[in-house]
Amino acid sequence: MLTPVAYGLAIVLDLLVAFIGARFLLQPEAAATGYGVPAKPGAYLTVKGLRDLSYGILGLALLAFAGPLAAAWFMLVVALNPLGDTLIVLRNGGTKAVAFGIHFATAVVVLISAALLFAV
């Protein structure tokens, strides 16, 4: 029972990160506003989009080709991104609701995903 939940959560998270990355590449201003710190179009938004898109695809590749242990370590390390995003939003005038309700909550879910994958 744990295996489908662990894989399912990891797949959903990877797809969501890839979607967020694609949104930053295709609709950078709207994506930045949703991130919690509105920004003008430019390199920053493209870098963020590419980062998220590649992390989502890499997570899916690890699940498919390397297995749950590699994916668990990946999720553990990748949880640093939403934790950092929490601080970025707070330091740049974003709301606490976005910082904690989106970014910190995402970090918690990613860490839960890592724990489930380690348990498989």
Side-chain angles (χ1 to χ4, degrees):
M1 175 64 183
L2 185 59
T3 301
V5 172
Y7 272 88
L9 180 58
I11 289 168
V12 167
L13 288 171
D14 290 331
L15 289 172
L16 283 172
V17 170
F19 170 78
I20 290 167
R23 185 168 182 228
F24 264 93
L25 292 172
L26 300 172
Q27 298 176 319
E29 291 174 4
T33 300
Y35 175 85
V37 181
K40 297 176 185 171
Y44 156 75
L45 299 180
T46 303
V47 168
K48 170 128 176 59
L50 188 58
R51 176 194 84 168
D52 289 348
L53 181 62
S54 64
Y55 281 158
I57 293 169
L58 177 58
L60 292 170
L62 286 172
L63 281 170
F65 302 112
L69 185 59
W73 281 108
F74 171 78
M75 289 293 195
L76 188 63
V77 171
V78 166
L80 293 172
N81 287 328
L83 288 172
D85 291 344
T86 301
L87 295 176
I88 290 167
V89 169
L90 290 172
R91 292 176 126 188
N92 289 282
T95 66
K96 289 182 181 179
V98 170
F100 293 107
I102 296 173
H103 300 293
F104 189 79
T106 298
V108 170
V109 173
V110 171
L111 291 171
I112 290 169
S113 176
L116 290 170
L117 289 166
F118 277 123
V120 169

